[in-house]
Amino acid sequence: MKSGWIVAVLLLAVLVVLGVLWLRSDKSDEGTFTLYDGSATAMERVHIATFDSAEGPSIAEGAAFNKVMCEAVREALQEQATARQGTDHYWCDKGRFRP
């Protein structure tokens, strides 16, 4: 009977740890930006990068940093695509990548 209680307590502890990990992994989209690529020939967007740095002491500062970085990479990629006369179109969206 004693081993049944031990198993129950261990199972409960595992569930609590999994719950905490799940809550911590579910980061808010606030302050996160995602870079996408889409071309005239493709029917879908392609995920390039997600910018979710926590730079700065507040979410607002992190969001500003992430937006600036996403836009800087977007501009560089767009310039390369234009130079090679490609049909790629790059853009940044607020939030995490959603398939």
Side-chain angles (χ1 to χ4, degrees), residues 31-35 49-53 66-67 69-71 73 92:
T32 301
F33 286 83
T34 301
L35 176 63
T50 298
F51 298 84
D52 62 353
S53 174
N66 292 330
K67 183 176 183 179
M69 295 308 294
C70 187
E71 288 295 330
V73 173
C92 293

Side-chain angles (χ1 to χ4, degrees), residues 2-19:
K2 196 174 199 181
S3 65
W5 278 103
I6 292 172
V7 169
V9 169
L10 288 175
L11 180 60
L12 181 60
V14 167
L15 291 175
V16 168
V17 168
L18 289 175

Side-chain angles (χ1 to χ4, degrees), residues 4 6 10-11 23 26 33 35-36 40 57 65 67 76-77 80 84 87 89 99:
I6 292 172
L10 288 175
L11 180 60
L23 287 173
D26 187 28
F33 286 83
L35 176 63
Y36 295 99
F65 177 81
K67 183 176 183 179
L77 290 172
Q80 288 178 356
R84 69 175 189 277
T87 59
H89 172 70

